[in-house]
Amino acid sequence: MATIIPIESGDGSKKWRATVRKKRNGKLILNRSKTFSSKKLAEQWATKLEAQLQDDEGISAVLAQASLSGQTLADVIHKHVAYFHQLKPFGETKRYTYKVLAEADFAQKPLHQLTSADILAWFTDRRVRLKSTPATLLQYFGNLRQVLQLAKPTFGVSLSVALIDDIRPTLKAGNMIGQGVERDRRLKPGEYRTLLAWFRKYDATRAKHLKMADLFRFLVRMPLRLGEACRISWSELDTKKRTAMIRDRKDPKNKLGNDQLVPILGRAWRIIQDLPRSSDEDRIFPYREESVSILFAKACEACGIENLHLHDLRHEATSRLFERGYAVQEVALVTGHKSWDMLRRYTQIRPESLHR
């Protein structure tokens, strides 16, 4: 039975507190109270809640909602990462994906207030404002869905997968999620100089911790993924052999522990050697991937360069190695590809480069 009592608020006005208690097998399983401005509203709330508690299904639904109170999706994401990472360690990209999801606006809302519209707004912003690719957003979609799907069996937190499944048609119709497509974009004449000039001006006038010009020059000459370049350390640089250890290179089966010794070729080596060293930072390019990606997109927009992605620089560098006469197996040693079929999509050799 519900109890409704009058109470005096801090400003002296009269309010009404409704309390609903539910026992099962003599044990109190629910004790919920709420305060209202009128007795009628208190009675309506109590009547509605008591109606929900008439059968086991209703009781379970109310208890599930109560378990969400005070928790946010960010809390669940952190639990998910902590639990599953200890069973099968995540690679850096996956950890970063979960980090971005946990920092999203929708992840800060109480779970019982979270809606599909909140999640859709976040995906839309990533696609429109940050220019995230459909393939990247598909990774966020898949990881978020897994968090929702495993929350109840793993942590006893009832979350509906419908929160993400309901927006899938909209995401697909708006080309916000999808498989990656093969690209053949390389730097066009003049684009390298234009971007380099923009980055040098940025570095000289605005950058404090992110020096983009040297990283840009390096990525055009070394076909590494951005995350790989940002993990190279001074302590694992062999100055005699001109090699660097690349930790946790991407691999279809398991990237964790897939460490490879890679030669730093040509001018890329000189770029590294000219960089200043920091006593409190071992990484050669100690930058956040997201910060670099955002700045690169900003530079392209400012310079009027269209349809150029940061990852296209890996294509550019790979093609340059082939144009310089390196064999397939030699290029694969640098890029980390296991077969020619995998390497082929990153290769766009210009016809004029075949003239010797």
Side-chain angles (χ1 to χ4, degrees), residues 4 14-17 35-44:
I4 299 175
K14 189 176 183 180
K15 294 186 179 297
W16 297 84
R17 177 178 294 160
T35 303
F36 297 89
S37 59
S38 70
K39 185 177 181 179
K40 182 178 180 180
L41 291 175
E43 290 174 340
Q44 290 175 346

Side-chain angles (χ1 to χ4, degrees), residues 243-254:
T243 59
M245 181 64 71
I246 308 294
R247 298 290 180 183
D248 299 331
R249 299 204 82 176
K250 186 176 180 180
D251 185 271
K253 295 181 179 179
N254 187 13

Side-chain angles (χ1 to χ4, degrees), residues 156-168:
V157 179
S158 296
L159 288 174
S160 174
V161 182
L163 282 168
I164 189 79
D165 284 348
D166 284 352
I167 66 172
R168 186 197 294 265

Side-chain angles (χ1 to χ4, degrees), residues 38-77:
S38 70
K39 185 177 181 179
K40 182 178 180 180
L41 291 175
E43 290 174 340
Q44 290 175 346
W45 175 83
T47 300
K48 181 179 179 180
L49 181 56
E50 286 185 315
Q52 290 181 272
L53 299 173
Q54 292 303 309
D55 53 41
D56 290 341
E57 184 178 350
I59 293 173
S60 297
V62 172
L63 291 176
Q65 185 179 22
S67 71
L68 303 183
S69 179
Q71 289 194 72
T72 65
L73 186 57
D75 297 328
V76 180
I77 292 173

Side-chain angles (χ1 to χ4, degrees), residues 71-86 90 94-104 107-108 111 143-144 146-148 151 154-155 157 159:
Q71 289 194 72
T72 65
L73 186 57
D75 297 328
V76 180
I77 292 173
H78 291 315
K79 290 180 181 179
H80 179 95
V81 172
Y83 180 80
F84 288 101
H85 181 66
Q86 68 179 346
F90 297 152
K94 194 166 188 176
R95 292 199 306 271
Y96 175 75
T97 300
Y98 281 122
K99 179 178 181 294
V100 172
L101 287 171
E103 293 175 350
Q108 315 312 314
L111 289 176
N143 288 336
L144 179 56
Q146 189 174 56
V147 169
L148 298 176
T154 310
F155 310 113
V157 179
L159 288 174

Side-chain angles (χ1 to χ4, degrees), residues 12-301:
S13 62
K14 189 176 183 180
K15 294 186 179 297
W16 297 84
R17 177 178 294 160
T19 301
V20 176
R21 295 181 177 87
K22 182 69 176 180
K23 289 185 177 182
R24 177 183 282 172
N25 299 325
K27 182 180 179 181
L28 184 67
I29 61 172
L30 180 72
N31 184 5
R32 183 178 293 186
S33 298
K34 194 170 184 179
T35 303
F36 297 89
S37 59
S38 70
K39 185 177 181 179
K40 182 178 180 180
L41 291 175
E43 290 174 340
Q44 290 175 346
W45 175 83
T47 300
K48 181 179 179 180
L49 181 56
E50 286 185 315
Q52 290 181 272
L53 299 173
Q54 292 303 309
D55 53 41
D56 290 341
E57 184 178 350
I59 293 173
S60 297
V62 172
L63 291 176
Q65 185 179 22
S67 71
L68 303 183
S69 179
Q71 289 194 72
T72 65
L73 186 57
D75 297 328
V76 180
I77 292 173
H78 291 315
K79 290 180 181 179
H80 179 95
V81 172
Y83 180 80
F84 288 101
H85 181 66
Q86 68 179 346
L87 300 176
K88 184 179 180 181
F90 297 152
E92 184 169 334
T93 300
K94 194 166 188 176
R95 292 199 306 271
Y96 175 75
T97 300
Y98 281 122
K99 179 178 181 294
V100 172
L101 287 171
E103 293 175 350
D105 290 341
F106 67 80
Q108 315 312 314
K109 298 185 68 172
L111 289 176
H112 66 281
Q113 295 180 8
L114 183 62
T115 66
S116 294
D118 298 323
I119 301 175
L120 177 61
W122 182 83
F123 274 92
T124 304
D125 179 69
R126 301 287 299 190
R127 184 74 175 105
V128 175
R129 184 175 63 87
L130 299 182
K131 310 299 182 185
S132 297
T133 65
T136 297
L137 292 179
L138 183 61
Q139 290 184 339
Y140 287 122
F141 182 94
N143 288 336
L144 179 56
R145 191 180 191 281
Q146 189 174 56
V147 169
L148 298 176
Q149 188 176 37
L150 297 177
K152 184 174 182 179
T154 310
F155 310 113
V157 179
S158 296
L159 288 174
S160 174
V161 182
L163 282 168
I164 189 79
D165 284 348
D166 284 352
I167 66 172
R168 186 197 294 265
T170 302
L171 294 176
K172 294 185 71 173
N175 193 34
M176 285 188 272
I177 60 172
Q179 297 294 335
V181 296
E182 293 190 9
R183 292 176 57 83
D184 58 3
R185 180 69 157 91
R186 290 190 60 181
L187 290 171
K188 298 177 182 178
E191 288 183 339
Y192 174 79
R193 291 182 179 276
T194 300
L195 284 171
L196 183 58
W198 193 94
F199 288 132
R200 281 175 169 164
K201 182 178 179 180
Y202 176 89
D203 291 352
T205 60
R206 299 181 61 183
K208 294 181 179 180
H209 304 293
L210 175 55
K211 299 295 184 181
M212 188 67 184
D214 291 324
L215 178 58
F216 173 64
R217 293 169 59 220
F218 181 79
L219 291 175
V220 168
R221 293 166 174 83
M222 276 296 294
L224 303 180
R225 300 173 183 87
L226 175 59
E228 294 171 349
C230 292
R231 289 197 297 274
I232 301 175
S233 62
W234 292 110
S235 61
E236 294 188 313
L237 195 68
D238 190 324
T239 56
K240 292 183 178 180
K241 297 181 180 179
R242 296 190 178 186
T243 59
M245 181 64 71
I246 308 294
R247 298 290 180 183
D248 299 331
R249 299 204 82 176
K250 186 176 180 180
D251 185 271
K253 295 181 179 179
N254 187 13
K255 65 177 287 184
L256 201 67
N258 183 34
D259 306 331
Q260 295 181 2
L261 195 64
V262 175
I264 307 299
L265 303 173
R267 293 181 65 183
W269 177 259
R270 293 198 293 274
I271 291 171
I272 285 182
Q273 291 301 296
D274 290 340
L275 293 176
R277 298 194 183 192
S278 173
S279 59
D280 58 353
E281 176 58 69
D282 190 36
R283 290 183 300 158
I284 296 175
F285 298 106
Y287 311 136
R288 294 177 64 242
E289 292 181 48
E290 185 176 25
S291 298
V292 174
S293 298
I294 291 174
L295 183 57
F296 186 82
K298 180 179 179 180
C300 289
E301 183 177 0

